Structures are given as C-alpha cells and as structure tokens.
C-alpha cells in the first residue's frame, strides 16, 4: 500500500481510538433493573423492572427524566426503538405480547398486533416503518409494519422454519431465518421474496441486528464461539470485529460507520465500539463510574459531532443491571469528512501516476 494512503486510513481509524467518553447512569431510582436499547434526538428507550414487572421506559438523557410507557391494562412492556417522537416495542396483555408504538406517553399506545397471530413484537423503526416479528401457528415470522395492525407484511422466506427482523433502516430490514436447523443472517427490502442470505462461509450460525446505509452488523458463530461481524450486503463481505484476545463478541447496532456491541476480554463482558475493523475496537467499560462487573452496548447514533452509545452494565455493589448512556467527550469527525480525506489522497496518487 502507498505510504500516503496508509497514513490516511490509519488516521481515519485513529479518530475513534482518540475519542474519550463520559458515562451517565440512567437507572430510575425505584427500579430493580433497567436496560437501555436505542436512542435518537436526545431521547433513549428501553425497559425497567418496576414492582416485579417489566415496563417500557423513555428517557431524556438523565436518570430523573424517565417516563413509564406501560399502557393501561398491560402487565409488562418493552420499548426497543425510537424515531422522532415515536417509540416501538411490545406490551403484554393477558399473558401475550403485542407489537405496538407509542408517541411519548403510556396513553398514546397503538396496538399493531396482526390478525391471526398469537404474539408479536416490534424491534426498530425507520421512516414510519417498523420491524419485528409475529408468531403464527407456533412459527415465528419476520414482519414489517407501517404503524397499524392492518399494514403488517409477512417477511418469512420460503423454506425457512422461523425468522425475525431485528432492525430496519433506509428501506432495509435485517435479522435471521432458519434453514435446515441453522440460523442464517439475512436482509430484506420490504417483501419475503427479497430475502438475501448473508450467512458467512464456515459459520454454524449467524444473525443480523442492525443496519445503516450499506453496512449491517450482528454476529456469526464459528466453532462454538460468537464473533461480532460487519457485513456489506453479502456473506463474502463478512468482517470479524472480535478484538484480539477476546473469547466471544457480538455487535447489535451500526450508525455512521460505527458499530457497537460487546466483547469478552480478560473474562469481562465489555460494552464495545468499533470503526469497521477488529483493530479499531475500544472498550467503553472502563469509562463507567463505580464498580461494574460487565456491560453491553445496544444502540449508537450521532448528534452533531458527538457520538452516543446506549446499553447497560451490571452494578456489582448493588446487584442490579443499570441502563447507561455513553457520550464521546471529544468531537468525532463526520463520515463524509473522513471519506473526503481518503478520496483526496487517492486523487493525489492518481495524478502522481499520470
């Protein structure tokens, strides 16, 4: 590789490594446990254990800002995704889960449970559409909604015994489908027939959990060990993000070229962030305040030059899981800026060759 191009690529990777992070514990004071899952625009969603039941929670960046989204009549609920003023997830009525959306309050709950399904769950939302799944006749089917129960589209691919859509972004749904007893990571674009199998060669199982533009993240199992992975639309594009020395890892979300998840390093499960390669791995665990035994990251997004990561950590002093929001304390360059640097170097190289 040309020396100038190598320096440019190293600089792009170093942008992440140079970032410092601050961590805010979002745990509601009256909760037994809490979990952060996704966020955007200054708000975060997840769930908390309140009085022995799980309730969907909406935060505004602090522990005191939490809002209980559990609808009237529901015993349990969980919020998994957010876009603008809306949140998506599921609520349990009469012992059965039903997918639905909120608009910032418990009273705003809209039931999206499709006709004929026994249970259903919403996972993420993008441009007014929601991903997730529903169970029909004991078989789990990946699904896509547009805000109502009647809008449900069954994404279950032909030949699969079960499927589920874990994420959605920019007209693309990601998740998995079972074929021959093996979990295969896959991508849809709005229909069951559009399913693209991206199961990596040599893996004994795989699943996608997040997507952003042309990147997908999840994990694949090789020889009994899960490895966080980054895809670009095909099985052959799989990149193992597992950091050196890790015994296992998983990725759950991607945004603007950054991937987040977890990695087991030195016997500790650590909330993790990557910038496209295993060598770019950075542990967020060390930025936690207090004593935490392990941690995981489930959401990532950008607000200006600040990156936000949402997840949870186990407080070993208080014996409970606590929702945590990480912020990059230093500015993170826009992806377009980093790309322009690379293009500039390539242009210089082309001119020199001529």
């Amino acid at each position: 590789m040309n020396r100038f191009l190598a320096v440019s690529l190293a600089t792009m990777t170093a942008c992440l490594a140079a970032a410092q992070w601050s961590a805010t514990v979002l745990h509601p004071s009256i909760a037994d446990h809490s979990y952060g899952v996704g966020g955007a625009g200054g708000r975060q969603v997840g769930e908390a254990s309140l009085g022995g039941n799980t309730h969907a929670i909406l935060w505004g960046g602090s522990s005191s800002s939490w809002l209980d989204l559990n609808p009237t009549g529901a015993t349990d609920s969980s919020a998994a995704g957010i876009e603008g003023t809306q949140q998506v997830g599921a609520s349990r009525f009469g012992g059965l889960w039903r997918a639905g959306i909120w608009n910032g309050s418990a009273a705003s709950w809209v039931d999206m449970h499709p006709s004929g399904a026994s249970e259903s769950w919403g996972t993420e939302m993008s441009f007014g559409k929601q991903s997730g799944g529903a169970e029909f006749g004991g078989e789990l089917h990946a699904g896509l909604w547009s805000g109502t129960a009647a809008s449900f589209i069954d994404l279950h691919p032909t030949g699969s015994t079960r499927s589920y859509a874990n994420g959605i972004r920019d007209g693309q749904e990601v998740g998995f489908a079972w074929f021959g007893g093996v979990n295969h990571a896959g991508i849809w674009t709005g229909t069951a027939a559009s399913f693209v199998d991206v199961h990596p060669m040599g893996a004994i199982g795989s699943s996608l959990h997040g997507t952003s533009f042309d990147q997908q993240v999840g994990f694949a199992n090789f020889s009994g060990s899960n490895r966080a992975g980054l895809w670009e639309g095909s099985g052959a594009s799989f990149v193992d993000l597992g950091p050196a020395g890790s015994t296992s890892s998983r990725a759950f979300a991607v945004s603007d070229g950054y991937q987040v998840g977890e990695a087991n390093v030195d016997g500790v499960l650590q909330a993790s962030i990557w910038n496209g390669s295993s060598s770019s791995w950075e542990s967020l665990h060390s930025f936690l305040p207090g004593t935490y035994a392990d941690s995981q990251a489930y959401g990532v997004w950008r607000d200006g030059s600040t990156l936000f990561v949402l997840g949870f950590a186990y407080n070993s002093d208080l014996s409970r899981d606590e929702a945590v929001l990480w912020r990059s304390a230093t500015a993170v360059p826009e992806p377009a800026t980093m790309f322009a640097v690379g293009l500039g170097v390539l242009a210089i190289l082309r001119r020199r060759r001529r």
Side-chain angles (χ1 to χ4, degrees):
M1 181 184 293
N2 183 280
R3 179 171 61 89
F4 295 100
L5 180 56
V7 169
S8 176
L9 294 177
T11 301
M12 285 188 264
T13 301
C15 290
L16 176 60
Q20 294 296 307
W21 299 85
S22 62
T24 300
V25 177
L26 299 181
H27 185 76
S29 60
I30 66 171
D32 297 321
H33 299 277
S34 61
Y35 306 88
V37 182
R43 291 188 169 190
Q44 307 83 39
V45 294
E47 62 184 53
S49 177
L50 301 170
N53 294 97
T54 299
H55 285 206
I57 301 295
L58 175 65
W59 287 276
S62 66
S63 60
S64 62
S65 66
W66 71 278
L67 178 66
D68 190 339
L69 295 179
N70 197 62
T72 300
T75 55
D76 299 275
S77 56
S78 178
I82 184 171
E83 181 183 49
T85 61
Q86 289 191 319
Q87 303 81 41
V88 64
S91 297
R92 181 184 280 175
F93 298 89
L96 299 174
W97 288 96
R98 302 174 73 91
I101 54 176
W102 295 267
N103 194 22
S105 69
S108 67
W109 165 260
V110 174
D111 194 327
M112 299 195 305
H113 187 69
S115 176
S118 56
E119 293 190 271
S120 58
W121 303 264
T123 56
E124 198 173 5
M125 61 195 310
S126 177
F127 292 102
K129 294 185 180 294
Q130 301 83 31
S131 59
E135 190 173 279
F136 297 92
E139 190 175 81
L140 186 61
H141 286 206
L144 175 66
W145 290 266
S146 298
T148 66
S151 68
F152 179 79
I153 296 174
D154 193 332
L155 297 179
H156 193 64
T158 301
S160 174
T161 53
R162 72 174 181 177
S163 60
Y164 198 65
N166 288 309
I168 181 173
R169 186 75 62 85
D170 307 316
Q172 184 179 88
E173 303 83 45
V174 297
F176 66 84
W178 273 67
F179 296 97
V182 178
N183 218 34
H184 283 218
I187 303 169
W188 295 267
T189 50
T191 66
S194 68
F195 181 80
V196 176
D197 190 330
V198 297
H199 184 68
M201 183 178 294
I204 59 176
S206 61
S207 178
L208 292 181
H209 286 258
T211 179
S212 179
F213 298 105
D214 60 347
Q215 292 189 334
Q216 303 85 35
V217 295
F219 54 91
N221 191 292
F222 296 92
S223 303
S225 176
N226 286 326
R227 306 298 295 175
L230 173 64
W231 286 257
E232 291 187 356
S234 69
S237 67
F238 176 83
V239 174
D240 188 339
L241 295 178
S246 62
T247 55
S248 67
S249 57
R250 295 187 295 174
F252 297 113
V254 57
S255 182
D256 292 318
Y258 297 95
Q259 306 84 36
V260 298
E262 64 184 32
N264 193 317
V265 180
D266 297 327
V268 178
L269 194 62
Q270 305 182 39
S272 302
I273 185 166
W274 295 269
N275 191 198
S277 66
S278 61
S279 61
S280 69
W281 175 77
E282 182 177 8
S283 172
L284 299 175
H285 189 80
S286 60
F287 296 98
L288 289 168
T291 305
Y292 290 87
D294 55 42
S295 57
Q296 296 164 270
Y298 278 88
V300 59
W301 65 97
R302 172 191 291 275
D303 187 359
S305 61
T306 302
L307 272 183
F308 291 88
V309 177
L310 185 65
F312 61 91
Y314 183 75
N315 187 322
S316 53
D317 287 339
L318 299 175
S319 300
R320 68 187 187 193
D321 291 312
E322 298 179 344
V324 177
L325 176 66
W326 287 269
R327 295 176 175 86
S328 61
T330 52
V332 177
E334 293 281 353
T337 303
M338 292 189 291
F339 185 57
V341 171
L343 287 180
V345 173
L346 290 174
I348 292 171
L349 294 178
R350 282 195 291 268
R351 285 197 296 271
R352 287 184 62 183
R353 289 192 187 102
R354 285 196 290 268

